């Protein structure tokens, strides 16, 4: 399948935070709470470190290549050009995040070469579903945000925003994970609706299409939201935030085991797996409701 051509439009205006903003929430962190309140606590309140996985690193790398691919003139956006970007982008990522180098045993050039090849193979999946020579994205890896309910800032990085000549918006999200799709599809759609809500609230336009590109399977999943649905979704997000506030006040974040536990880094501390969570952090200098727990995940980091 080849996507229809989409022409560039006005870049998104920078979003200012009104003084009434009291808290912020990203789709990744909101989805964490929905998936498992204890996972939310571990990631956002305890801020327990998570060692990057090869799969997450591959996702970050492929996202970086696809972002840079659109820096090239349209005619040059070929599979070979994308392949040529893999190694330099990996070097750049490792320079910025040295912990990525620890994914491979020192001197194990074979493992790293296999890793780079697997990223190139996902890019082949991309070219099977889209022709980037026919696209001029309006935004790539853009941080977008909006205030809902008068005081909650919702924000996140979208992979790509296409704007058609008639102003229609298409939000595109690249999925590179190798995990069974059904385990993550609801989370992916939640994330896309989050972006759709932000765009609707900031631009007054409901995106025409929310598109998931599954690179491993070379498949496209399109979803068309409507205003009524986004209104309901907005209420859901606000209710979710209120539930997070209540759980924080009670210091009560319960585990909710599911298939996603297989991908959780915190099983050793999870009561559902015989572990014990650390003591609830004492509020420090900053306001716990506006701190880093709502920091949006970088593109590709949430695969
Ligand atoms: S292992 Fe499962 S239940 Fe426990 S914190 Fe992780 S996702 Fe939640």
């Amino acid at each position: 399948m080849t996507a229809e051509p989409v022409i560039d439009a006005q870049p998104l205006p920078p979003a200012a935070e009104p003084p009434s903003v009291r808290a912020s929430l990203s789709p990744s962190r909101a989805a964490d709470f929905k998936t498992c309140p204890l996972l939310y606590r571990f990631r956002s309140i305890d801020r327990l470190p998570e060692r990057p996985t090869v799969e997450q690193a591959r996702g970050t790398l492929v996202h970086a290549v696809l972002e840079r691919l659109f820096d090239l003139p349209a005619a040059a956006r070929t599979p070979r050009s994308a392949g040529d970007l893999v190694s330099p982008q990996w070097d750049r990522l490792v320079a910025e995040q040295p912990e990525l180098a620890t994914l491979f045993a020192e001197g194990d050039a074979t493992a790293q070469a296999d890793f780079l090849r697997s990223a190139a193979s996902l890019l082949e999946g991309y070219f099977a579903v889209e022709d980037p020579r026919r696209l001029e994205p309006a935004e790539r890896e853009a941080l977008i945000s909006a205030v809902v309910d008068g005081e909650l800032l919702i924000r996140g990085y979208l992979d790509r925003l296409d704007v058609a000549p008639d102003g229609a918006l298409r939000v595109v999200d690249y999925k590179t994970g190798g995990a069974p799709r059904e385990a993550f599809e609801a989370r992916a759609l939640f994330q896309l609706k989050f972006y759709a809500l932000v765009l609707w609230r900031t631009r007054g336009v409901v995106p025409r299409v929310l598109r998931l590109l599954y690179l491993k399977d070379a498949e496209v999943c399109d979803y068309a939201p409507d205003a009524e649905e986004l209104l309901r979704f907005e209420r859901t997000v606000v209710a979710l935030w209120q539930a997070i506030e209540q759980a924080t006040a009670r210091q009560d974040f319960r585990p909710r085991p599911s298939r996603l536990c297989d991908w959780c880094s915190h099983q050793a501390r999870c009561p559902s797996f015989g572990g014990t969570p650390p003591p609830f952090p004492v509020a420090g200098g900053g306001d716990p409701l506006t701190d880093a727990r709502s920091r949006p995940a970088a593109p590709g980091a949430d695969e």
Side-chain angles (χ1 to χ4, degrees), residues 219-232:
E219 278 182 29
V220 177
C221 173
D222 278 349
Y223 185 82
D226 60 44
E228 215 170 283
E229 182 182 10
L230 291 185
L231 207 49
R232 281 197 304 274

Side-chain angles (χ1 to χ4, degrees), residues 26 73 86 92 126 132 153 184-185 213 217 220 223 235 260 262 267 277 288-289:
S26 73
V86 170
R92 180 184 66 80
Y126 169 73
L153 183 76
F184 287 94
E185 192 143 274
L213 290 184
D217 303 325
V220 177
Y223 185 82
R235 282 189 223 116
L260 295 167
D262 290 348
Q267 286 184 5
L289 292 181

Side-chain angles (χ1 to χ4, degrees), residues 119-261:
S121 144
L122 283 174
L123 290 164
E124 283 168 23
Y126 169 73
F127 280 93
V129 292
E130 272 196 345
D131 182 350
R133 294 171 302 178
R134 303 178 65 221
L135 296 164
E136 283 305 336
E139 294 285 332
R140 287 171 275 149
E141 295 197 4
L143 179 62
I144 58 170
S145 62
V147 175
V148 295
D149 201 35
E151 59 181 19
L152 174 63
L153 183 76
I154 57 172
R155 57 184 180 159
Y157 285 99
L158 47 77
D159 288 346
R160 202 179 85 207
L161 179 68
D162 299 333
V163 183
D166 66 357
L169 306 182
R170 181 171 66 193
V171 182
V172 179
D173 201 56
Y174 307 122
K175 289 293 165 206
T176 59
R181 184 190 304 184
E182 60 276 15
F184 287 94
E185 192 143 274
R187 187 178 168 105
L189 205 50
F190 178 87
Q191 189 179 17
L192 281 180
K193 284 185 191 172
F194 210 96
Y195 300 141
L197 175 58
V198 172
L199 291 168
W200 182 41
R201 284 301 181 211
T202 50
R203 293 191 161 201
V205 179
V206 173
R208 186 180 290 167
V209 176
L210 308 180
R211 170 166 290 183
L212 288 165
L213 290 184
Y214 289 98
L215 307 191
K216 183 164 174 275
D217 303 325
E219 278 182 29
V220 177
C221 173
D222 278 349
Y223 185 82
D226 60 44
E228 215 170 283
E229 182 182 10
L230 291 185
L231 207 49
R232 281 197 304 274
F233 185 76
E234 185 173 53
R235 282 189 223 116
T236 302
V237 170
V238 170
L240 202 59
W241 178 251
Q242 288 165 348
I244 292 172
E245 284 188 307
Q246 281 172 14
T248 306
R250 294 183 190 136
Q251 301 187 0
D252 182 11
F253 290 86
R254 302 197 180 169
R256 186 180 297 146
S258 71
R259 290 183 64 195
L260 295 167
C261 294

Side-chain angles (χ1 to χ4, degrees), residues 32 35-40 42 254-273:
D32 283 347
T35 302
C36 169
L38 185 58
L39 174 64
Y40 173 90
F42 284 155
R254 302 197 180 169
R256 186 180 297 146
S258 71
R259 290 183 64 195
L260 295 167
C261 294
D262 290 348
W263 287 270
C264 181
S265 306
H266 307 295
Q267 286 184 5
R269 293 188 178 88
C270 174
S272 296
F273 289 82

